[in-house]
Amino acid sequence: YDAVLENRNELHLHTKLSDDASVIGVREIFENAQKLGLKSIAFTNLNNVQDFPEIMMCAKKYEHIKVVYGAEVQYKHDADSPAYHLTLLAKNQAGIKELYKVISSISELDGANLIDLQVLKENRKNLLVGSCGSKGELFDLINQDKVPFAISTFYDYFEIFPSQNISECETNKKIFYLGEELG
């Protein structure tokens, strides 16, 4: 257990300013990360980057913890398709600017806040695009036993969220093996 925690990184974390049900603040996250010995934290609030100024201030105090700036966003291919999630992580300062452009493209459609996929495609040079676990299109396609090769190349990395659900665990295994196959 200690060996696992020794190399632990949190790469998908929401704060209380996220558009979902998180209740923890930025300062609390840094305090807990220090107690747990985390090496890095990726802040990925749903549909916003409002915490970035506070994160930058806290990062100065906890400079031994690597901060990755990101967001979880939603998209649809057309009006009839379901909304899927992506995780976007900035590789560098230019990536943060690209992330702001993507977040600025959000508009409401059918009760969901969606990014413009074209804006993402034009502004992803300095972003890493993740599959967002069980909320993502990759998970959905694999769960339906569809060959996801074309969509899997859209992602820079695959995310697997922990689950107690046997079906989700089986889908997670398939995603893991697809990742190994694709290198």
Side-chain angles (χ1 to χ4, degrees):
Y1 181 75
D2 289 337
V4 171
L5 282 181
E6 184 177 304
N7 294 311
R8 174 89 194 257
N9 297 288
E10 180 56 60
L11 297 177
H12 192 113
L13 186 67
H14 296 213
T15 73
K16 61 185 176 184
L17 289 184
S18 185
D19 279 1
D20 57 7
S22 182
V23 295
I24 190 167
V26 171
R27 195 172 319 275
E28 294 169 278
I29 289 170
F30 275 99
E31 290 168 358
N32 289 332
Q34 181 170 314
K35 288 176 190 171
L36 291 171
L38 298 182
K39 305 293 184 210
S40 62
I41 308 169
F43 289 89
T44 57
N45 280 352
L46 179 60
N47 295 328
N48 74 67
V49 292
Q50 295 173 358
D51 281 345
F52 281 13
E54 185 179 359
I55 293 167
M56 289 176 189
M57 288 189 326
C58 285
K60 291 176 185 173
K61 179 179 178 184
Y62 296 92
E63 59 187 34
H64 58 284
I65 299 173
K66 167 101 171 110
V67 173
V68 179
Y69 296 91
E72 181 179 328
V73 296
Q74 300 173 82
Y75 69 97
K76 286 186 179 184
H77 291 290
D78 56 50
D80 297 326
S81 67
Y84 291 112
H85 292 229
L86 294 170
T87 305
L88 305 175
L89 301 178
K91 295 179 189 178
N92 49 37
Q93 191 66 34
I96 293 173
K97 290 179 183 178
E98 291 173 355
L99 184 58
Y100 278 119
K101 290 177 184 177
V102 174
I103 292 293
S104 296
S105 79
I106 291 176
S107 61
E108 188 176 336
L109 179 66
D110 300 327
N113 293 317
L114 306 171
I115 62 162
D116 183 326
L117 272 178
Q118 187 59 40
V119 172
L120 173 59
K121 289 174 184 175
E122 294 168 1
N123 292 284
R124 70 174 288 177
K125 180 181 177 188
N126 296 289
L127 293 174
L128 293 174
V129 177
S131 64
C132 206
S134 58
K135 297 177 183 179
E137 185 174 16
L138 179 67
F139 186 95
D140 190 42
L141 290 172
I142 288 179
N143 203 31
Q144 296 175 41
D145 290 324
K146 294 184 178 177
V147 178
F149 184 77
I151 189 68
S152 66
T153 59
F154 177 74
Y155 303 107
D156 297 305
Y157 67 99
F158 300 157
E159 285 181 273
I160 297 173
F161 295 162
S163 177
Q164 299 289 333
N165 180 295
I166 293 171
S167 174
E168 285 186 11
C169 289
E170 289 303 313
T171 303
N172 284 342
K173 285 180 187 176
K174 291 176 184 177
I175 292 171
F176 176 82
Y177 292 126
L178 176 64
E180 278 194 332
E181 182 181 321
L182 296 173

